[in-house]
Amino acid sequence: MRVRKRKGAEEHINNHRDLVIENPELSKGKWHKLFGNNNPIHIEVGSGKGAFITGMATNNPNINYIGIDIQLSVLSYALDKVLESGQKNIRLLRVDGSSLTNYFDDNEIDLLYLNFSDPWPKAKHEKRRLTYKSFLDTYKQILPPKGEIHFKTDNRGLFEYSLVSLTQYGMTLKQVWLDLHASNFEGNVLTEYEAKFSNKGQVIYRLEAYF
């Protein structure tokens, strides 16, 4: 998601370092202590403006959520939503999704969400796709045995690629939706991107898989 540079974004984030964690590598292996409980920890890689992560945290107060995005302006908008929600079970990180093992210990995360990731459609950019095998290596390390990935996209090419990539990696597909919004799936929390494109009739794909 590309967003125009937001004036005052850095100052906004610096004023809320209790929610946007500075130097998150110092919290590696200590996230339960930071949240002040032993509840499960779910992370969203590429959290955008925060609609999904705040919606999930509101619906599931006994789960801790961490939203991750590298873009400063985007993260500042996500911070707005966290503040508006009043939820205490959310933290945000401005880090790259390829370096998660720098911030999370082995088996420290219980579930990982990938929502509407950049499809990187050109073959030469395959290694940048968040379901490429090198990213799966990282996810497997920070998730427990049989840890799950939940993935949503509107891009059929990326969805088909991900089905193959996860299967070839040895993951088990738990459930697959070829038209999520036409299914009987309950509890779906929309991202901003999902709401925009589903309103235009775009099919949304979803899968759940575990290692």
Side-chain angles (χ1 to χ4, degrees):
M1 179 184 295
R2 298 296 178 185
V3 175
R4 290 181 181 179
K5 186 176 181 180
R6 185 186 189 188
K7 185 177 180 180
E10 187 170 4
E11 181 181 4
H12 183 38
I13 284 174
N14 286 335
N15 287 337
H16 295 281
R17 283 301 181 184
D18 56 325
L19 299 174
V20 186
I21 306 303
E22 192 172 20
N23 302 319
E25 64 275 5
L26 300 179
S27 297
K28 181 176 180 178
K30 304 174 184 176
W31 287 102
H32 283 113
K33 183 177 180 181
L34 187 147
F35 279 105
N37 58 56
N38 288 317
N39 293 338
I41 299 174
H42 294 187
I43 67 174
E44 182 187 15
V45 181
S47 54
K49 293 184 178 179
F52 179 82
I53 204 79
T54 54
M56 292 296 290
T58 300
N59 293 345
N60 304 282
N62 294 322
I63 297 176
N64 300 317
Y65 290 90
I66 300 175
I68 296 168
D69 209 291
I70 193 62
Q71 298 185 64
L72 180 65
S73 292
V74 169
L75 204 66
S76 74
Y77 287 115
L79 175 59
D80 288 343
K81 282 194 170 59
V82 174
L83 292 169
E84 290 167 9
S85 75
Q87 294 300 312
K88 306 300 184 184
N89 57 330
I90 314 174
R91 298 294 185 274
L92 301 172
L93 305 183
R94 188 191 176 199
V95 300
D96 192 280
S98 65
S99 56
L100 297 179
T101 52
N102 292 336
Y103 314 110
F104 302 108
D105 212 345
D106 293 0
N107 308 326
E108 191 169 19
I109 302 305
D110 294 279
L111 192 148
L112 185 145
Y113 300 98
L114 299 173
N115 293 320
F116 300 90
S117 310
D118 193 325
W120 296 107
K122 294 182 180 179
K124 66 180 181 180
H125 293 149
E126 179 187 7
K127 293 182 179 180
R128 298 184 184 182
R129 299 171 191 161
L130 294 187
T131 50
Y132 182 68
K133 59 184 178 181
S134 61
F135 284 98
L136 298 180
D137 285 339
T138 297
Y139 308 151
K140 185 177 182 180
Q141 188 168 338
I142 65 175
L143 287 166
K146 295 193 175 181
E148 295 188 10
I149 293 175
H150 293 184
F151 173 80
K152 283 197 292 187
T153 184
D154 66 316
N155 188 288
R156 179 172 176 173
L158 179 62
F159 191 71
E160 291 175 348
Y161 171 85
S162 300
L163 287 171
V164 174
S165 180
L166 271 60
T167 302
Q168 289 183 342
Y169 192 86
M171 295 189 70
T172 299
L173 296 173
K174 183 179 177 182
Q175 296 190 82
V176 174
W177 291 263
L178 298 179
D179 189 347
L180 177 63
H181 292 187
S183 74
N184 59 358
F185 180 78
E186 296 181 358
N188 183 49
V189 174
L190 277 68
T191 73
E192 295 88 357
Y193 191 97
E194 182 178 1
K196 176 181 177 180
F197 284 90
S198 62
N199 285 338
K200 295 181 179 180
Q202 176 66 50
V203 171
I204 305 301
Y205 306 94
R206 186 178 189 273
L207 67 80
E208 297 177 0
Y210 60 89
F211 288 98

